[in-house]
């Protein structure tokens, strides 16, 4: 059963040096055509299910002008939402204005995710996010309209020290925002950072930073490797992914997971503007589905519920792969009907997850 | 076939002196291939040869020129392959000695020249690459005159690039190289100078008919193995494969006889007719002794049989490759292999991986040590892990070589320093001309196995050329050094070292291992020890970070691909004890600074 919808807006005013997602420089002519095609795609595929979450991400959805943003929200209002729904839109700090926030409010958006990345101007300029506004003021403005807010933070930046990170975290904590995603910088191929030959920071420092984050965010529920929330503010949309549940993906380069098929939309923007979607499909058979359940499920700190797994697949999770051995080696822990990665190995979880691919 | 009109010759040269390019021009000028068809360096057929720019396997090609038949037999140029050069030369009456006009005589120019003399060949000296702006024809020709006693008139000047002088060279071949002297009416004697395995035709044997003739349908006998076969196909390459019904004395070509049993074929063996055999075989040549030994193990243990198969097939056209089964505690079942030198080892490794698609591990290479025991017996040890206990050893001898290092005079100092650091003893120095010398040192063979070539290159900015001869065994103060991973000795990493150098080698080796073995889930000590005494130690730190970034917009397939790639990478590792060691580690440690 489809639980969520993701809508991709691939336009940005400026391309960040670390970004390897599907994105294009904002272009007014394209945006209108894009929204038109997006509406068409949704009309074609959406089967009127009641959804639990909607998420508008990018790119930078907030780079759209007020008129365009309203058009987008209008299109997305076609989604039927269950009571208790979560409806998120991503904002760039510079784009935050009362007008846009009010617009979101009007269309029932109830969660704002802000790509802050860092409070430190010199790291922001390294990431090519040249923020000319006061970050704190913009976040406080957002708080006037919304209480469910996420902030994205990137750490392990080139030359970043533990005390730099501590400063960022202190600034975050002072703002009293209920959700934070902390991602260690990965220098991906085909990014400006990679082209400029930046190298990842020392592995030990990276680990120490992760520990610092965990220690600073004690008032938060560390519910996924990189995500922390005040109780009740865990992202329902992300949980759809990690619980291996089904979702729609609309927009250029988006992926969907519907009735045991994965569909990947083409990243060709010209085709998309011309309403040619070229969805690549891949059947997810039972074996593959179980693998995904484990790879995604073990991202959650709480892990996978053993009884629920049994119910879903009619299989005992402990009998799969080498899970028994991993439990014996204390890489996986069983507690209270849940199986999860030993905290000690959480930050090297790939070493465990590769057993399931 | 009129034997008077046949010329069989090879091109011999120091590496990179332009041999393959000259061969291409000859092919073009004789019309064997049109310019359009000519892939650069036509004779280097193996993918690997073209990539490395060196010729490791010979090829014979038949050409027509001015009513004459030329059989051009290509030869390798590297120091490791002088044995193969002599195989090619045995099928020839003449040789073209090619020297680069910008470089002059180098170490293998001399080595190859003497091989040609040993085979009684007529040698035509050629100064090549005269199109280059820094070519110095006068200087190089005077080197040829002073070193080998050629006369000025004998020397030909060519450019493989522009083709200049190649026509003169072809005329000189007709004029100077003698025609073959065999008797077509005598009993068949054909020399096998190469062979290869073809999955459709079985073993393909390259032959030179010395006496008599051979026809399709003949029953032939291999004189050293006495095995008998029916000839099903005869032909030559021009350079397209062309089938014929017979080959007669003086001619060069190939034959197929549905030979599936690879061990029946020995390079250098003589083929005769089964019902009318020659009484005496041709002289053949003594296979060269392996100088470097290493264990070859499949990364996946179930590929052991495939590996044996690959080694057998490689041996077919590389008689110098030796192998026998062995086992290692760390690596399981594999083969002890003998090589002519390090490049030979490297090429075999790559051929196994590329042509046979088997991932392999090579253990630390070793020479053969003569180990004299206190009970007055001697054992030969080519695998450090088989070294007898210290208590029963009286003394150990190791092989020594004498070097020829050709180098501009300004590098004499660095060369001497390098050789002294490698336990070398200076012998003497010959001046080739005012600016270049040939330096002779005596060195333990084991000392050139590691980074000697790289060092030689770097201290002389690439200006040195190198060749060596084995001169015998000498007593040395040697010890066995073990490497321990996570407290467990790894037999495949044991090596024999000089006692005075052991500490430094051990220190460098463990630090190199720390670099190339990736972090593991737990901290892993790496130690070097002699007997029970640990002489160096480092720790491979525990892995701290290995985690997927944001699962963005549900793009889970990409994350899965990353995990798959990571898992694939693990497969290239060998688990020793509980430690994952990359297959390359065993070879990479060779680059340590001794």
């Amino acid at each position: 059963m489809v639980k969520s919808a993701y809508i991709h807006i691939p336009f940005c005013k400026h391309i960040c040096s670390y970004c390897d997602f599907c994105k294009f420089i904002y272009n007014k002519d394209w945006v209108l055509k894009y929204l038109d095609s997006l509406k068409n795609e949704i009309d074609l595929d959406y089967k009127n299910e009641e959804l639990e979450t909607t998420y508008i991400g990018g790119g930078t959805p907030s780079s759209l002008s007020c008129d365009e943003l309203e058009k987008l929200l209008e299109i997305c209002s076609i989604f039927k939402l269950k009571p208790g729904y979560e409806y998120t839109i991503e904002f760039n700090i510079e784009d935050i204005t009362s007008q846009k926030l009010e617009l979101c409010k009007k269309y029932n958006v109830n969660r704002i995710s802000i790509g802050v990345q860092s409070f430190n101007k010199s790291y922001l300029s390294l990431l090519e996010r040249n923020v000319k506004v006061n970050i704190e003021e913009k976040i406080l403005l957002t708080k006037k309209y919304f209480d469910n807010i996420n902030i994205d933070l990137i750490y392990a930046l080139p030359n970043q020290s533990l005390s730099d990170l501590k400063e960022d975290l202190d600034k975050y904590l002072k703002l009293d925002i209920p959700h934070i995603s902390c991602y260690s910088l990965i220098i991906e191929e085909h990014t400006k950072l990679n082209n400029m030959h930046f190298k990842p920071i020392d592995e030990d420092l990276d680990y120490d930073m992760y520990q610092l984050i965990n220690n600073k965010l004690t008032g938060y529920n560390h519910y996924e490797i990189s995500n922390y929330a005040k109780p009740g503010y865990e992202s329902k949309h992300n949980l759809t992914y990690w619980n291996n549940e089904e979702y729609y993906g609309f927009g250029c380069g988006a992926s969907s997971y519907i009735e045991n098929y994965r569909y990947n939309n083409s990243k060709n923007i010209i085709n998309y503007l011309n309403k040619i979607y070229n969805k690549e499909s891949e059947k997810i058979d039972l074996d593959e589905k179980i693998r995904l359940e484990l790879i995604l499920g073990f991202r959650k700190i709480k892990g996978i519920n053993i009884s629920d797994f049994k119910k879903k697949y009619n299989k005992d999770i402990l009998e799969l792969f080498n899970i028994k051995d991993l439990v014996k080696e204390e890489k996986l822990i069983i507690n209270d009907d849940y199986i999860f990665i030993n905290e000690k190995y959480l930050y090297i979880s790939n070493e465990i997850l590769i057993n399931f691919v | 076939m009129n034997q008077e009109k046949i010329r069989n010759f090879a091109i011999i040269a120091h590496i990179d002196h332009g041999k393959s390019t000259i061969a291409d021009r000859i092919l073009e000028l004789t019309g064997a291939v049109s310019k359009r068809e000519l892939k650069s360096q036509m004779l280097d057929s193996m993918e690997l040869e073209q990539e490395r720019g060196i010729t490791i396997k010979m090829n014979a090609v038949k050409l027509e020129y001015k009513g004459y038949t030329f059989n051009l037999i290509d030869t390798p140029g590297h120091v490791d392959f002088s044995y193969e050069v002599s195989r090619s030369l045995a099928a020839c009456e003449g040789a073209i000695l090619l020297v680069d006009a910008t470089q002059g005589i180098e170490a293998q120019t001399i080595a190859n020249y003497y091989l040609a003399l040993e085979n009684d060949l007529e040698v035509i000296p050629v100064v090549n690459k005269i199109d280059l702006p820094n070519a110095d024809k006068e200087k190089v020709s005077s080197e040829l005159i002073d070193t080998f006693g050629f006369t000025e008139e004998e020397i030909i000047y060519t450019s493989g690039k522009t083709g200049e002088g190649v026509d003169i060279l072809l005329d000189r071949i007709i004029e100077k190289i003698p025609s073959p002297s065999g008797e077509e009416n005598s009993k068949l004697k054909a020399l096998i100078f190469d062979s290869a395995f073809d999955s459709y035709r079985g073993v393909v044997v390259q032959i030179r008919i010395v006496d008599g003739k051979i026809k399709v349908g003949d029953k032939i006998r291999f004189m050293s193995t006495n095995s008998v076969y029916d000839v099903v196909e005869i032909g030559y390459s021009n350079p397209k494969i062309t089938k014929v019904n017979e080959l007669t004395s003086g001619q060069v070509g190939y034959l197929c006889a549905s030979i599936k049993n690879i061990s029946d074929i020995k390079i250098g063996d003589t083929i005769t007719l089964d019902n009318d055999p020659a009484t005496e075989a041709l002289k053949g040549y003594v296979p060269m002794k392996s100088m470097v030994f290493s264990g070859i193990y499949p990364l996946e243990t179930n590929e052991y049989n495939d590996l044996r198969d690959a080694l057998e097939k490689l041996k077919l056209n590389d008689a110098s490759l030796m192998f026998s089964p062995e086992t290692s505690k760390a690596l399981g079942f594999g083969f002890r292999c003998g090589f002519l030198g390090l490049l030979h080892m490297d090429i075999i490794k790559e051929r196994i991986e590329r042509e046979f698609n088997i991932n392999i591990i090579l253990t630390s290479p070793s020479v053969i040590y003569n180990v004299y025991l206190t009970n007055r017996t001697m054992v030969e040890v080519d695998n450090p892990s088989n070294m007898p206990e210290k208590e029963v050893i009286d003394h150990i001898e190791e092989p020594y070589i004498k070097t020829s290092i050709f180098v501009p005079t300004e590098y004499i100092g660095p060369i001497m320093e390098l050789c002294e650091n490698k336990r070398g003893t200076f012998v003497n120095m010959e001046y080739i001309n005012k600016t270049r010398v040939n330096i002779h040192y005596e060195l333990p063979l084991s000392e050139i196995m590691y980074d000697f070539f790289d060092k030689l290159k770097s201290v002389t900015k690439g200006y040195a050329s190198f060749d060596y001869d084995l001169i015998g065994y000498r007593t040395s103060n040697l010890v066995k050094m073990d490497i321990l991973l996570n407290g467990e000795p790894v037999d495949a990493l044991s090596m024999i070292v000089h006692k005075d150098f052991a500490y430094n080698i051990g220190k460098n080796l463990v630090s190199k291992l720390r670099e190339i073995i990736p972090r593991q889930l737990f901290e892993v000590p790496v130690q070097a020890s002699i007997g029970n005494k640990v002489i160096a130690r480092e720790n491979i730190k525990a892995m701290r970070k290995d985690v997927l970034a944001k699962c963005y917009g549900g793009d889970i397939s990409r994350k899965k691909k990353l995990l798959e790639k990571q898992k694939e990478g693990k497969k290239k590792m060998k688990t020793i004890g509980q430690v994952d060691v990359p297959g390359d580690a065993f070879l990479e440690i060779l680059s340590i600074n001794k």
Side-chain angles (χ1 to χ4, degrees):
Chain A
M1 230 217 352
V2 181
K3 285 205 158 170
S4 299
Y6 172 78
I7 297 96
H8 190 71
I9 302 300
F11 302 106
C12 299
K13 288 271 161 63
H14 184 88
I15 305 298
C16 302
S17 59
Y18 59 93
C19 177
D20 76 332
F21 297 130
C22 178
K23 77 272 166 178
F24 305 92
I25 289 284
Y26 175 90
N27 167 332
K28 199 151 192 64
D29 297 339
W30 280 14
V31 171
L32 288 175
K33 267 190 107 174
Y34 186 87
L35 292 177
D36 194 30
S37 177
L38 181 70
K39 180 171 176 352
N40 185 58
E41 190 196 2
I42 294 171
D43 287 345
L44 284 173
D45 290 350
Y46 175 52
K47 301 276 182 302
N48 275 310
E49 298 94 337
E50 274 201 323
L51 303 177
E52 293 180 6
T53 74
T54 305
Y55 191 107
I56 303 176
T60 318
S62 61
S63 68
L64 269 53
S65 70
C66 282
D67 291 352
E68 292 158 348
L69 185 62
E70 178 148 25
K71 186 152 194 244
L72 168 66
L73 292 166
E74 178 67 46
I75 291 167
C76 293
S77 63
I78 191 176
F79 297 119
K80 286 188 196 154
L81 294 168
K82 278 188 190 166
Y85 67 87
E86 178 189 284
Y87 184 178
T88 310
I89 183 164
E90 288 182 346
F91 261 79
N92 234 2
I93 201 85
E94 292 231 295
D95 298 326
I96 297 175
T97 62
S98 297
Q99 212 184 349
K100 283 186 184 176
L101 291 170
E102 268 169 23
L103 207 52
C104 291
K105 195 97 194 162
K106 181 178 146 195
Y107 281 91
N108 298 323
V109 172
N110 59 11
R111 185 169 180 269
I112 303 289
S113 177
I114 307 172
V116 173
Q117 316 311 356
S118 174
F119 290 93
N120 183 317
K121 288 269 156 81
S122 71
Y123 292 119
L124 284 173
S125 89
L126 176 82
L127 299 174
E128 301 216 6
R129 299 175 67 85
N130 297 312
V131 179
K132 293 186 194 78
V133 297
N134 184 308
I135 298 172
E136 280 87 350
E137 273 175 20
K138 287 289 183 188
I139 292 171
L140 291 174
L141 177 64
T142 311
K143 277 181 77 171
K144 278 195 190 158
Y145 295 87
F146 294 91
D147 91 300
N148 193 351
I149 299 171
N150 166 59
I151 276 177
D152 275 350
L153 201 74
I154 297 181
Y155 64 97
L157 299 161
N159 299 320
Q160 193 181 25
S161 67
L162 271 176
S163 63
D164 290 338
L165 175 63
K166 190 169 167 288
E167 244 173 69
D168 266 359
L169 290 167
D170 284 337
K171 282 186 177 155
Y172 164 76
L173 286 169
K174 211 172 148 203
L175 290 163
D176 192 29
I177 299 294
H179 191 286
I180 183 167
S181 301
C182 296
Y183 296 107
S184 161
L185 176 72
I186 293 193
I187 299 170
E188 305 274 6
E189 264 181 77
H190 314 300
T191 62
K192 200 165 174 186
L193 276 185
N194 186 57
N195 294 341
M196 289 163 79
H197 304 292
F198 278 104
K199 293 275 166 282
I201 63 159
D202 175 70
E203 195 174 327
D204 294 309
L205 177 58
D206 192 315
Y207 179 77
D208 291 342
M209 287 182 168
Y210 184 66
Q211 290 307 327
L212 175 70
I213 294 165
N214 288 341
N215 294 336
K216 292 289 281 183
L217 299 178
T218 42
Y220 289 74
N221 174 18
H222 183 191
Y223 70 106
E224 192 262 356
I225 294 175
S226 311
N227 284 278
Y228 304 79
K230 291 261 178 74
Y233 286 91
E234 293 84 359
S235 162
K236 290 178 188 155
H237 185 79
N238 281 342
L239 283 167
T240 299
Y241 298 144
W242 301 320
N243 288 332
N244 197 24
E245 290 177 306
E246 300 193 323
Y247 50 86
Y248 285 114
F250 297 110
C252 187
S255 18
S256 319
Y257 181 29
I258 307 162
E259 284 171 15
N260 297 322
Y261 273 89
R262 177 173 319 288
Y263 302 92
N264 290 313
N265 284 6
S266 156
K267 290 184 177 158
N268 184 324
I269 182 80
I270 302 298
N271 281 346
Y272 193 87
L273 296 178
N274 289 320
K275 301 182 183 163
I276 302 164
Y277 303 112
N278 287 334
K279 292 184 188 233
E280 230 176 66
S281 69
E282 180 197 350
K283 170 113 177 90
I284 308 293
D285 60 18
L286 183 66
D287 173 72
E288 180 67 7
K289 197 169 173 179
I290 288 175
R291 289 170 191 271
L292 287 172
E293 185 90 18
L294 300 176
I295 290 169
L296 295 165
F298 282 129
R299 287 188 73 91
K300 293 174 290 177
I301 306 300
K302 206 173 168 186
I304 296 168
N305 184 290
I306 298 174
S307 306
D308 288 351
F309 188 92
K310 176 100 187 171
K311 243 181 264 164
K312 195 166 173 184
Y313 296 104
N314 199 23
K315 277 180 201 279
D316 183 354
I317 192 169
L318 296 174
E319 298 300 328
L320 295 172
F321 303 100
N322 54 344
I323 286 183
K324 252 190 192 151
D325 294 337
L326 293 169
V327 171
K328 209 181 290 168
E329 294 163 19
E330 292 184 357
K331 286 174 182 151
L332 293 177
I333 307 276
I334 298 174
N335 189 18
D336 199 16
D337 205 24
Y338 277 90
I339 178 164
F340 52 91
I341 292 181
N342 185 342
E343 200 195 333
K344 207 165 99 181
Y345 296 111
L346 196 57
Y347 210 50
I348 48 174
S349 56
N350 285 6
E351 289 295 305
I352 292 164
L353 298 183
I354 55 172
N355 289 290
F356 314 130
V357 295
Chain B
M1 176 90 216
N2 183 356
Q3 221 168 277
E4 291 292 311
K5 297 265 181 178
I6 297 178
R7 298 292 180 269
N8 296 323
F9 63 96
I11 307 173
I12 51 179
H14 187 78
I15 187 164
D16 282 342
H17 278 201
K19 193 173 45 150
S20 298
T21 320
I22 278 285
D24 288 347
R25 286 296 87 70
I26 293 176
L27 257 59
E28 202 181 288
L29 212 65
T30 55
V33 284
S34 69
K35 214 169 194 148
R36 203 169 50 79
E37 287 175 307
L38 192 83
K39 208 168 37 171
S40 183
Q41 309 202 343
M42 195 80 193
L43 284 186
D44 297 351
S45 68
M46 280 191 300
E47 191 191 347
L48 192 59
E49 291 183 16
Q50 292 210 346
E51 266 176 37
R52 292 191 168 220
I54 54 168
T55 309
I56 52 170
K57 292 307 305 170
M58 72 197 88
N59 266 303
V61 56
K62 184 178 168 185
L63 310 164
E64 302 293 336
Y65 184 70
K66 294 188 176 173
Y68 285 80
T69 297
F70 287 179
N71 288 303
L72 165 56
I73 296 166
D74 204 16
T75 59
H78 193 269
V79 59
D80 277 3
F81 300 106
S82 58
Y83 164 66
E84 295 205 5
V85 176
S86 76
R87 276 161 55 180
S88 309
L89 298 185
C92 299
E93 278 78 37
I96 297 168
L97 179 68
L98 208 61
V99 184
D100 186 328
T102 67
Q103 308 285 325
I105 290 174
E106 299 282 2
Q108 276 103 56
T109 314
I110 299 204
N112 283 324
Y113 174 77
Y114 286 111
L115 283 175
L117 281 199
E118 277 170 36
N119 283 281
D120 288 327
L121 302 193
E122 186 64 39
V123 177
I124 301 176
V126 175
V127 177
N128 189 34
K129 299 196 189 178
I130 54 168
D131 57 289
L132 292 181
N134 54 337
D136 192 342
K137 286 157 71 170
E138 288 70 31
K139 188 170 137 204
V140 175
S141 63
S142 73
E143 283 183 13
L144 280 166
I145 293 164
D146 295 344
T147 313
F148 304 120
F150 289 114
T151 62
E152 221 174 307
E153 299 68 44
E154 281 180 286
I155 299 168
I156 296 174
Y157 300 93
T158 62
S159 160
K161 202 166 154 201
T162 66
E164 187 184 345
V166 178
D167 50 339
I168 302 170
L169 172 60
L170 292 180
D171 290 336
R172 187 68 59 85
I173 289 168
I174 295 175
E175 197 183 301
K176 219 179 147 193
I177 294 177
S179 56
S181 60
E183 289 289 335
E184 189 174 333
N185 296 321
S186 299
K187 292 173 193 287
L188 173 67
K189 279 184 188 174
L191 175 75
I192 303 177
F193 65 90
D194 199 2
S195 62
F197 192 85
D198 179 306
S199 16
Y200 299 103
R201 295 185 288 185
V203 179
V204 181
V205 184
Q206 292 230 27
I207 50 171
R208 154 75 194 269
I209 313 292
V210 177
D211 288 314
K213 60 181 167 194
I214 190 166
K215 296 190 303 293
V216 173
D218 279 349
K219 212 176 250 314
I220 52 165
R221 186 196 296 174
F222 294 91
M223 291 184 77
S224 76
T225 55
N226 267 321
S227 46
V228 173
Y229 287 95
D230 292 321
V231 177
V232 295
E233 185 183 326
I234 293 179
Y236 55 80
S237 140
N238 72 349
K240 290 188 195 79
I241 296 294
T242 309
K243 293 181 194 175
V244 291
N245 281 325
E246 63 169 27
L247 289 173
T248 57
S249 60
Q251 290 190 302
V252 174
Y254 71 89
L255 76 79
C256 307
S258 306
I259 304 162
K260 300 283 181 212
N261 188 359
I262 290 167
S263 58
D264 281 346
I265 309 305
K266 300 225 166 358
I267 309 274
D269 194 6
T270 304
I271 296 175
T272 191
L273 290 177
D274 187 45
N275 56 8
D276 185 15
T279 45
E280 238 176 87
L282 296 163
K283 202 172 74 188
Y285 20 82
V286 193
M288 215 167 112
K289 229 181 141 189
S290 303
M291 302 241 248
V292 174
F293 293 80
S294 166
I296 295 188
Y297 291 81
L299 198 59
E300 306 262 0
T301 43
N302 59 9
E303 289 192 314
Y304 174 80
N305 285 330
D306 296 338
L307 177 59
R308 185 179 48 216
D309 205 42
L311 287 167
E312 275 173 1
K313 285 184 178 154
L314 286 175
K315 191 173 166 64
L316 250 193
N317 68 357
D318 188 348
S320 48
L321 171 66
M322 302 292 165
F323 62 93
S324 57
E326 76 166 8
T327 50
S328 151
K329 266 187 226 134
L331 303 176
F333 292 100
F335 297 92
R336 193 79 198 157
C337 298
F339 308 98
L340 301 176
L342 277 185
L343 179 72
H344 188 209
M345 176 171 96
D346 212 25
I347 283 173
I348 295 291
K349 172 187 183 279
E350 283 204 37
R351 289 189 66 186
I352 292 171
E353 292 188 332
R354 277 199 210 188
E355 293 170 31
F356 299 92
N357 213 1
I358 304 169
N359 281 318
I360 53 167
I361 293 172
L362 263 78
T363 64
S364 314
S366 168
V367 298
I368 294 190
Y369 295 95
N370 289 345
V371 181
Y372 292 85
L373 305 178
T374 45
N375 65 8
R376 288 169 189 267
T377 56
M378 190 271 276
V379 286
E380 288 188 354
V381 174
D382 64 15
N383 181 347
S385 60
N386 295 341
M387 185 57 83
E389 290 301 318
K390 207 167 67 188
E391 292 69 32
V392 300
I393 297 175
D394 184 72
H395 67 280
I396 304 174
E397 286 181 352
E398 63 177 329
Y400 264 70
I401 56 162
K402 184 175 162 189
T403 68
S404 292
I405 302 171
F406 278 66
V407 77
T409 45
E410 66 256 45
Y411 299 112
I412 294 174
I415 291 287
M416 294 182 84
E417 195 186 325
L418 171 64
C419 290
E420 304 286 336
N421 282 336
K422 298 284 180 192
R423 299 193 277 138
T425 312
F426 177 73
V427 181
N428 64 2
M429 197 152 62
E430 293 162 33
Y431 278 81
I432 303 300
N433 56 35
K434 274 190 196 130
T435 58
R436 291 206 315 147
V437 288
N438 182 1
I439 305 174
H440 297 295
Y441 257 90
E442 290 178 353
L443 288 172
L445 174 61
S446 65
E447 291 289 341
I448 65 161
M449 289 203 317
Y450 294 89
D451 56 347
F452 187 78
F453 296 94
D454 292 342
K455 279 268 169 66
L456 194 66
K457 229 180 184 171
S458 69
V459 302
T460 63
K461 302 197 174 79
Y463 278 110
S465 71
F466 174 73
D467 199 6
Y468 60 84
D469 288 311
L470 201 62
I471 53 170
Y473 273 75
R474 292 183 187 172
T475 302
S476 291
N477 190 3
L478 301 170
V479 289
K480 178 184 163 200
M481 185 172 78
D482 291 316
I483 299 294
L484 295 84
L485 275 185
N486 206 22
E488 293 291 320
V490 181
D491 56 0
L493 289 173
S494 294
M495 52 169 71
I496 308 293
V497 295
H498 193 275
K499 204 172 172 201
D500 297 347
F501 293 74
Y503 175 74
N504 267 334
I505 296 170
K507 214 174 95 190
N508 288 331
L509 196 63
V510 295
S511 92
K512 183 83 185 178
L513 281 169
R514 188 185 54 108
E515 260 171 51
I516 57 189
I517 298 177
R519 291 177 177 223
Q520 314 276 319
L521 285 175
F522 49 92
E523 190 175 77
V524 177
V526 187
Q527 295 157 296
S529 77
I530 291 171
N532 294 324
K533 196 176 156 204
V534 173
I535 56 168
R537 175 189 169 127
E538 298 223 18
N539 290 334
I540 298 167
K541 287 200 225 165
M543 181 189 293
R544 303 297 291 279
K545 182 199 178 191
D546 187 16
V547 67
L548 290 175
K550 199 168 184 174
C551 275
Y552 201 81
D555 188 3
I556 284 149
S557 33
R558 209 181 98 184
K559 299 299 164 198
K560 224 186 110 234
K561 271 183 203 133
L562 284 176
L563 285 174
E564 274 159 9
K565 207 171 140 197
Q566 191 168 333
K567 188 168 186 177
E568 216 35 57
K570 283 254 186 263
K571 279 194 192 152
K572 295 220 155 74
M573 309 254 222
K574 189 88 190 175
T575 308
I576 296 175
Q578 286 182 67
V579 185
D580 291 334
V581 182
D584 295 346
F586 297 87
L587 265 187
E588 263 189 69
I589 57 167
L590 303 185
S591 58
I592 54 156
N593 296 320
K594 263 192 163 184

